[in-house]
Amino acid sequence: MRRIYCQFIAATLIAFNLAGCSNNHVSLKSTASGSLPEGIVLISEKSKNEEGVFIPYKKYQLSNGLTVILHEDDSDPLVHVDVTYHVGSAREDVGKSGFAHFFEHMMFQGSKHVGDDMHFQIITEAGGNLNGTTNSDRTNYYQTIPANQLEKVLWLEADRMGFLLDSVTQEKFEVQRETVKNERAQRIDNQPYGLRDEVNSEALYPNEHPYSWPVIGYVEDLDRVNVNDLKAFFTRWYGPNNAILTIGGDFDELTVLKWVNKYFGSIPSGEHVYDQEKNPVTLPETRFVTLEDEVHLPLLQVTFPTVHVRHEDEAALDVLSHILGEGKTSLFYKNLVKPNRAVQAVVSHPCRELACEFQLIALANPSKVRSLSELYAMIDKTLNEFESRGVLDEDLQRTKAQIEAATVFGLQSVAGKVSTLASNEFLGGEPDLVDFDINRYSNVTKKDVTRVYNRYIKNQPRVVLSIVPTGQTQLAASPTNYASPERDLSQVETVSEFVAPQNIVDNFDRSVMPAATINPAVQVPEVWRHQMSNGIEVIGHFTSETPTVTLTLSMEGGPLLDPIDKAGLASITASLMNETTERFSTEEIANQLALLGSSISFTANGRFTEITLVSLTKHLDETLLILKEKLFSPKFEEVDFNRVKYQILQSLQQQYKQPNALMSIASKTVLYGADNRIGLPDMGTINTIQNITLEDVKSFYTSYYSPSKGSMVVVGNVPKKALLEKVDFLSSWSGKSYDIAPYQPFPENTQPSIYLVDKPGAAQSVVKILKRSLPYDATDKQFKAKLMNFPLGGMFNSRINMNLREDKGYTYGASTAFIGGVTLGQFVASSNLNAQNTVEGIQEMLAEIETYQRLGMSEDELDTLRAAYTQSEALQYETPASKAQFLRHLLVYGLDTSYRQSQLQIIESISKRELNLLASELLDVNTMQIIVVGDANRLESALNALDRPIVKMNVVSE
C-alpha cells in the first residue's frame, strides 16, 4: 500500500492549507497573462485561497513543450527541483535494455558548460543534496538546495538537457558502463533473492513486452551497444517536450519563470513523444518457475497480472491486498506468520503505467513447512477463507485510516509534494489528483473488493516462483513447467553513424554559472524542556505545519545491558513488547492502531531501547492509551516468545548469506572483540539467542524498562502544556536504577592484518579499512576530524570515490568516515569492489589515505567543505522527523542549540594546517585493519600482494 499513499491527501490536510476550491475545479487558461515572460503559457492552477483539499500549484508550458509546475511553500528557506523525463526502461528496444538507467549515470558526468563530474561538486558546495532514479516508466533528477541557489540549479538542469551530447565521450561511456555493472552486481547479483523481480518479470511478460526486462538492464545488452546508441537514445527521449520541471519551496514565481525561460526556452523540442498503450497481460495457464539461489529460507511468490495504474479497479485491488497481507490484522499474518508457517508474509499490488501485478510473497519456516508446495496450499486456503468470510466493515475503515495518515506524513516535506505533483502529471496529465484519489479509495465498497477478487485472482492463471537454496529444487512449489523463450536479437542493430549535438543559439553566455544570492536566514528550532518527577527528561518542539505528533521515549542501555552469553536479549524483549498485552491480543492492538492510522514500535539498537509513537494529532489521546497499555502491561506469552525467537533465529541464518551483514559482524569483532557485548550484533548470534528464555525476557523488562535513564523527544502541533498533560501518566512510572557495565579490554590490533571472510562465489568483495578512533564531540577534535575527512571520502566528489568509481570503474561507490558515539568511535573506509579488481581497489584505497595523510587537503578542497557545511544548514530542520533528530542529538550528547553556531564558527575559522595535522595524526594506515568479505578461493593468493598477514575469519554462528 505504500505506493498509493503518496498520491493523495486526506481531508485533515485542510487544517494546514494544502487545499483548494469547493468544487475542486482547475482554472484553465490557454494564453499567458501580461506579466508572464514571452513564450510561457499558464495551463492550469489551484490557488491556496480556494476551498477543498489539494496541493496548490501553477502549471505552465514553454513553446518548446516543456511542462513547468510551481508550488510555493515558504515554511523553510529551501527549494526542491525535480526534472522528470517520461522515459524509463519501457521505452527501450529489445536487446538494448538498461539505457534509461545508464543515462541516469551519464547525466551527472558533465555537459558542454559544466565540467566533468562538476554537477555533484556544485550542488555539494551549494549545501544541497541530489540524486536520480529510474524505473520502468520514467527517469527523474532532483536536488534540494538552499533557496538562494535555485538559479544555479536551473542552469545545471538546462545544460544537461540541451548540451549533454557535447561532452559525452567514449571514455565516459566505458567508465559508466563499468559503474552500472558494479551497481548491478552490488544490488542484484550479489544479494540473496536479488534476481527475484527479474525472473518473475521474465515469466509474467512476453519477451517483447517492455516490462519483461530489468530496469538496470542485462549485462550482455550493455556490452553490445556503443556510445552512439546511447546518444541516439538521448536525442529521441530527452527533449523538453518529454520533460516535466517541478519546483517547490521558497521562491518568487515571476523571477523563477524568467529563469526557466532563459535557460530552457531556447532548447529545441524533440521528436514527438507518443503515449504507450496500456498493456496488462493475461496468462494461458499457471507458470511454475524455480530459481536456485544462495539463500537460507525458501521463498514463494505468486503473481497475478491485473490492470494498469489509475484503472477503475486499481483502488479495489489495493484494498484487497491490504486485507490479505498488510500487517498483523491481515489473513496472511493470521494463517502464515502467527502459526510460524512463514517467517514473513505480505501481499501487495504494485502498479505501473502499463500494467499492474498482484503479488503474494512468503518466506517459509523450514521447521514447519517441508516444501513450498505446502506453503502454496496454505496460500490457496487463505484465499478461499477470504472468499467465504468476505469483506468486513473494519477492513475498509482500517485501509482508509492508514491511507489518510500515511498521506499526511508523506507530504511533510517540499520534496514529497513536488514528487507527487510530478508523478501525477506524467501518469495522468494533471499535477493535482488529490480529490480523484481520495474519492476513488473512499468509494471502494465491499462489493468492489469481492468483484475484483473474483475477476483477477480467483482461479486465475498466475506465475508461481519458488526461490530455493542451491541444489534443493525438491523444495519448489511444483516442478518447473515454463522457461522464458530465448530473446530474438537477430534484428538488433547498433548505431554506427555519429550523433551530433544540437545547435542552440542563446543571447547570453551559458558558460557563466549564475551566482547565488544572499544566504537565507536559518532558524534553529525553538526548544522547550521539562523534567518529570521520576527523572525523565523531556525535550520538545511545537510546529503547526502538519497535524501530526512524533514521540520517542528512550531508555539508555539497550543491547549494552545484555549478558554476553545472551546477546540479543534487549532486542527480543523489545520485539515481545510489540506483541500481546494483558488486555489485548497482538491482532487487537494492531487493529486499534490501524483504525487510528497510528503506529507504536519498540526497538533496541546501539545504546538505547526506544519506543516510537507516530500519530495524527486528532488521534493522539487514543494512541497514548495504547502506549500506556503496551508499556506497562505486556503479557509475555510463551507462544509469542517462541514465534519471535524463531523469527530472529531465521533472520540471523539469512543474514549469514548477505555479504554486508557478514562485514558488519566481522567489523565489530575486529574492533571490539567477541568478549565485549559491543563486539556482537545488536540482535545477538544464533548461539546467544538460543540461550535466552522467557524468564530472561521478563527479568530484563523488570530491571531495565525504567525511567531512571529515560528521556523523551516530542515534535508536533501540540503546545508544551497540553502535551505534558497528555503524557503525565509517564510521571508515575517507577523502576529500579541500573548501571551500564564498562567495556572489557579491546583487541590491541598491533599488527596490521587482512581479515578474510569467505563468501563463496561472491560477485563482489565487500571491503573495509578501519580502526578505533575518537568518540563524538560537537566542537572538538572528532568534529574537526569529520571536517578533515570530507575531501578524502565524505562526499561524492571525494578523492577516494572519484578514483575508484569514476576513474577506475572498480566499484559503485567508495567512502571514508569518522563515526563517533557517546563513548566510542571509529574511522572506516569502505567499498564494494568487483571481484576481479579487489586487490587493485584496496591498493588504491590505501594509496589515497596515505597520500592524504602525508600531503593533506588543498585550498580548493577547504573552500568546498566550508561552503558545503555552512550552506547545508538550510536543509537541516524542514520536517518533523529532522527536527526530532536534532532534539534527540541535543539530549544524547548534552548539548544546547547554540552548538550549531559554534560549529559554523569553527568551519569558517579553522585553518588548512590544523586539518592537515589531524590527517597526519589520525590516518596512519599501519594502524588500520583490512577486512574483506568475498570468495576466499579466488582472493586469498592475490591478497598476498598487500604484504600483510591474512587471517581467515569465520563469523557464522552455528
Side-chain angles (χ1 to χ4, degrees):
M1 294 294 292
R2 183 176 300 171
R3 177 190 54 76
I4 64 172
Y5 288 160
C6 66
Q7 295 179 358
F8 50 87
I9 300 176
T12 54
L13 294 182
I14 297 174
F16 56 101
N17 197 28
L18 282 178
C21 59
S22 57
N23 59 357
N24 225 18
H25 73 276
V26 176
S27 304
L28 298 175
K29 300 184 180 182
S30 58
T31 58
S33 65
S35 61
L36 294 179
E38 184 178 354
I40 295 183
V41 178
L42 176 62
I43 302 298
S44 63
E45 66 176 306
K46 287 187 176 179
S47 167
K48 294 179 181 178
N49 299 322
E50 299 172 2
E51 297 178 358
V53 183
F54 55 79
I55 306 175
Y57 76 89
K58 289 187 179 180
K59 173 181 169 181
Y60 298 91
Q61 191 169 68
L62 273 61
S63 57
N64 58 11
L66 176 67
T67 297
V68 181
I69 302 168
L70 303 182
H71 166 69
E72 292 189 63
D73 179 346
D74 61 2
S75 58
D76 292 278
L78 57 82
V79 177
H80 185 80
V81 179
D82 178 292
V83 179
T84 294
Y85 293 91
H86 196 169
V87 54
S89 58
R91 299 283 193 181
E92 297 162 354
D93 297 325
V94 174
K96 293 186 177 182
S97 63
F99 271 28
H101 175 259
F102 201 146
F103 255 104
E104 182 195 318
H105 287 254
M106 293 300 298
M107 292 280 266
F108 291 103
Q109 298 308 303
S111 47
K112 183 176 181 180
H113 308 103
V114 180
D116 294 353
D117 300 303
M118 285 303 295
H119 199 116
F120 281 101
Q121 180 84 9
I122 291 168
I123 298 298
T124 299
E125 291 182 349
N129 56 60
L130 73 163
N131 212 332
T133 65
T134 308
N135 62 32
S136 54
D137 303 318
R138 63 99 186 101
T139 307
N140 75 330
Y141 304 90
Y142 54 89
Q143 294 98 161
T144 305
I145 65 290
N148 64 322
Q149 304 286 340
L150 176 55
E151 184 182 7
K152 191 178 296 181
V153 170
L154 296 176
W155 170 76
L156 284 167
E157 288 291 359
D159 210 67
R160 60 181 173 186
M161 178 185 288
F163 301 89
L164 183 79
L165 295 189
D166 297 81
S167 69
V168 173
T169 64
Q170 184 68 31
E171 181 182 4
K172 288 182 181 179
F173 171 80
E174 297 291 346
V175 169
Q176 291 310 309
R177 176 157 59 185
E178 291 307 307
T179 300
V180 171
K181 290 180 185 179
N182 288 327
E183 181 181 359
R184 181 186 167 96
Q186 181 174 323
R187 294 186 172 182
I188 298 175
D189 300 329
N190 210 38
Q191 293 298 322
Y193 312 107
L195 290 168
R196 177 176 61 87
D197 286 340
E198 187 171 306
V199 173
N200 187 68
S201 294
E202 290 170 347
L204 184 63
Y205 300 103
N207 279 354
E208 66 276 8
H209 194 287
Y211 289 171
S212 68
W213 54 82
V215 172
I216 201 168
Y218 296 113
V219 171
E220 58 267 28
D221 288 355
L222 296 173
D223 286 337
R224 180 183 299 112
V225 299
N226 61 51
V227 68
N228 287 319
D229 288 292
L230 204 67
K231 289 181 176 181
F233 188 82
F234 178 84
T235 301
R236 175 66 185 91
W237 298 112
Y238 289 79
N241 54 310
N242 197 35
I244 303 161
L245 170 63
T246 309
I247 305 169
D250 186 11
F251 56 80
D252 175 74
E253 177 188 351
L254 188 56
T255 300
V256 168
L257 289 174
K258 290 178 179 177
W259 289 340
V260 169
N261 202 40
K262 174 181 179 180
Y263 295 114
F264 291 90
S266 60
I267 301 173
S269 179
E271 186 178 338
H272 175 70
V273 175
Y274 56 88
D275 288 332
Q276 292 176 284
E277 291 186 9
K278 307 300 183 183
N279 197 7
V281 297
T282 57
L283 299 174
E285 60 183 5
T286 294
R287 295 172 174 175
F288 290 95
V289 180
T290 301
L291 171 65
E292 297 181 67
D293 198 359
E294 288 299 312
V295 298
H296 171 66
L297 298 176
L299 180 146
L300 182 68
Q301 175 167 330
V302 181
T303 304
F304 296 87
T306 59
V307 291
H308 56 78
V309 73
R310 302 208 175 280
H311 184 278
E312 60 184 6
D313 288 339
E314 181 194 10
L317 284 160
D318 286 337
V319 174
L320 173 62
S321 73
H322 190 276
I323 295 169
L324 289 174
E326 177 70 23
K328 294 179 179 179
T329 59
S330 69
L331 292 175
F332 262 47
Y333 179 83
K334 179 178 79 72
N335 293 344
L336 300 179
V337 177
K338 187 159 188 180
N340 263 341
R341 292 164 180 154
V343 177
Q344 296 176 26
V346 295
V347 180
S348 63
H349 184 231
C351 262
R352 291 181 279 180
E353 186 175 10
L354 309 182
C356 306
E357 303 169 14
F358 198 90
Q359 298 181 348
L360 305 91
I361 301 174
L363 271 175
N365 177 349
S367 71
K368 289 289 186 74
V369 176
R370 290 171 295 178
S371 73
L372 292 178
S373 61
E374 293 183 18
L375 199 59
Y376 186 42
M378 293 171 192
I379 288 176
D380 272 344
K381 185 177 180 180
T382 301
L383 294 177
N384 292 335
E385 179 184 344
F386 166 77
E387 187 177 348
S388 301
R389 144 199 193 281
V391 182
L392 308 180
D393 289 335
E394 279 196 345
D395 291 335
L396 300 181
Q397 294 168 11
R398 247 189 338 260
T399 302
K400 292 169 185 177
Q402 291 179 316
I403 286 170
E404 174 188 351
T407 300
V408 176
F409 283 100
L411 296 174
Q412 288 179 329
S413 69
V414 171
K417 289 181 284 186
V418 166
S419 296
T420 298
L421 292 167
S423 177
N424 286 338
E425 174 65 24
F426 99 79
L427 286 173
E430 163 58 45
D432 177 64
L433 291 169
V434 174
D435 272 358
F436 173 81
D437 280 319
I438 290 174
N439 290 332
R440 68 177 180 143
Y441 284 94
S442 296
N443 292 333
V444 170
T445 65
K446 296 179 184 180
K447 288 183 178 179
D448 291 330
V449 178
T450 302
R451 176 179 53 79
V452 297
Y453 169 79
N454 290 328
R455 178 172 180 180
Y456 301 104
I457 310 302
K458 181 180 179 180
N459 299 326
Q460 294 300 310
R462 73 229 33 195
V463 171
V464 181
L465 171 62
S466 301
I467 302 180
V468 299
T470 302
Q472 299 185 47
T473 56
Q474 76 278 5
L475 298 179
S478 184
T480 296
N481 70 354
Y482 178 81
S484 300
E486 290 282 333
R487 295 187 300 160
D488 180 8
L489 303 178
S490 61
Q491 304 301 313
V492 177
E493 296 181 357
T494 58
V495 177
S496 57
E497 63 272 15
F498 174 73
V499 180
Q502 303 176 93
N503 181 30
I504 299 174
V505 178
D506 289 304
N507 58 5
F508 67 98
D509 186 357
R510 282 190 182 266
S511 66
V512 178
M513 182 172 66
T517 57
I518 298 173
N519 287 351
V522 179
Q523 298 294 322
V524 174
E526 293 185 3
V527 171
W528 57 261
R529 295 177 183 264
H530 174 78
Q531 189 167 49
M532 292 185 173
S533 57
N534 56 1
I536 295 177
E537 188 175 358
V538 186
I539 185 170
H541 169 74
F542 173 81
T543 174
S544 59
E545 291 183 25
T546 59
T548 62
V549 174
T550 298
L551 180 153
T552 301
L553 179 61
S554 301
M555 292 163 282
E556 189 174 9
L560 295 179
L561 300 169
D562 292 344
I564 190 70
D565 63 334
K566 296 185 178 183
L569 179 55
S571 180
I572 198 170
T573 303
S575 294
L576 281 170
M577 296 295 291
N578 293 312
E579 300 291 335
T580 306
T581 70
E582 292 293 343
R583 296 172 57 210
F584 303 108
S585 69
T586 299
E587 293 85 347
E588 287 171 335
I589 287 183
N591 187 55
Q592 292 174 29
L593 289 169
L595 289 171
L596 298 172
S598 302
S599 66
I600 299 173
S601 63
F602 289 69
T603 58
N605 298 295
R607 195 177 183 86
F608 295 91
T609 292
E610 290 189 339
I611 308 163
T612 302
L613 178 153
V614 177
S615 173
L616 297 177
T617 306
K618 66 180 182 179
H619 295 315
L620 179 59
D621 290 344
E622 301 99 310
T623 307
L624 286 170
L625 285 175
I626 299 173
L627 171 62
K628 183 178 181 180
E629 170 74 15
K630 290 171 70 70
L631 178 59
F632 296 146
S633 304
K635 194 168 186 180
F636 295 132
E637 286 197 324
E638 188 81 32
V639 64
D640 289 336
F641 171 75
N642 291 335
R643 184 184 69 256
V644 168
K645 180 177 178 178
Y646 187 83
Q647 289 172 344
I648 291 174
L649 287 170
Q650 293 303 317
S651 177
L652 288 170
Q653 286 278 12
Q654 186 56 44
Q655 284 185 19
Y656 296 153
K657 299 291 185 179
Q658 299 172 358
N660 287 327
L662 295 174
M663 173 58 77
S664 177
I665 298 168
S667 299
K668 283 176 169 284
T669 303
V670 169
L671 287 174
Y672 305 117
D675 295 331
N676 267 301
R677 176 61 188 92
I678 199 169
L680 299 176
D682 288 344
M683 193 182 291
T685 69
I686 289 176
N687 290 336
T688 62
I689 291 294
Q690 287 173 336
N691 293 335
I692 296 172
T693 67
L694 182 56
E695 290 305 312
D696 293 325
V697 171
K698 293 177 179 178
S699 176
F700 190 94
Y701 171 79
T702 301
S703 299
Y704 302 123
Y705 274 64
S706 163
S708 65
K709 292 186 188 329
S711 61
M712 186 192 307
V713 173
V714 188
V715 174
N717 69 330
V718 179
K720 174 182 177 181
K721 181 181 178 182
L723 190 285
L724 290 175
E725 290 174 354
K726 293 176 185 296
V727 298
D728 185 60
F729 68 92
L730 291 170
S731 65
S732 60
W733 179 21
S734 62
K736 300 176 184 177
S737 180
Y738 58 87
D739 295 318
I740 301 172
Y743 304 119
Q744 297 299 310
F746 296 141
E748 294 185 4
N749 291 335
T750 55
Q751 172 70 55
S753 303
I754 300 170
Y755 294 85
L756 178 59
V757 180
D758 189 22
K759 182 68 175 69
Q764 287 187 316
S765 301
V766 182
V767 173
K768 283 191 177 181
I769 302 171
L770 44 66
K771 61 180 286 189
R772 293 191 299 275
S773 190
L774 304 165
Y776 174 87
D777 63 62
T779 57
D780 205 349
K781 193 172 183 178
Q782 201 265 350
F783 172 68
K784 295 173 182 177
K786 288 190 288 190
L787 298 179
M788 172 269 288
N789 175 72
F790 194 67
L792 173 62
M795 60 176 173
F796 182 88
N797 279 48
S798 66
R799 294 187 183 192
I800 202 164
N801 191 60
M802 295 302 291
N803 182 349
L804 273 74
R805 171 177 163 143
E806 299 299 301
D807 295 341
K808 303 295 191 306
Y810 291 165
T811 182
Y812 181 54
S815 64
T816 61
F818 283 90
I819 303 167
V822 174
T823 59
L824 299 172
Q826 59 182 273
F827 168 80
V828 58
S830 58
S831 185
N832 287 22
L833 301 167
N834 58 51
Q836 65 268 29
N837 297 118
T838 299
V839 174
E840 295 95 327
I842 294 173
Q843 289 171 331
E844 291 296 329
M845 293 171 75
L846 291 170
E848 289 290 352
I849 297 170
E850 287 176 323
T851 300
Y852 197 74
Q853 183 212 16
R854 183 165 44 89
L855 301 177
M857 69 179 66
S858 67
E859 287 290 347
D860 286 344
E861 289 172 326
L862 178 59
D863 290 342
T864 295
L865 84 84
R866 279 184 173 149
Y869 271 84
T870 54
Q871 294 273 4
S872 64
E873 192 177 18
L875 281 58
Q876 299 301 310
Y877 317 115
E878 181 192 5
T879 65
S882 60
K883 292 181 175 76
Q885 183 180 12
F886 172 69
L887 267 59
R888 173 152 173 70
H889 193 77
L890 299 180
L891 269 183
V892 170
Y893 296 107
L895 305 171
D896 59 46
T897 56
S898 66
Y899 90 93
R900 284 293 296 142
Q901 188 58 41
S902 300
Q903 287 184 333
L904 292 174
Q905 291 171 357
I906 291 171
I907 293 165
E908 290 292 348
S909 63
I910 197 167
S911 68
K912 185 180 74 168
R913 181 176 182 276
E914 183 176 357
L915 292 172
N916 288 344
L917 285 172
L918 272 177
S920 178
E921 176 189 350
L922 299 176
L923 294 178
D924 182 359
V925 297
N926 292 314
T927 64
M928 300 177 189
Q929 307 300 318
I930 301 172
I931 307 175
V932 181
V933 178
D935 189 333
N937 287 336
R938 183 176 186 177
L939 295 173
E940 186 173 1
S941 61
L943 288 170
N944 286 320
L946 298 176
D947 196 27
R948 290 187 177 209
I950 299 175
V951 179
K952 291 185 178 180
M953 192 175 185
N954 179 22
V955 300
V956 176
S957 173
E958 299 298 339

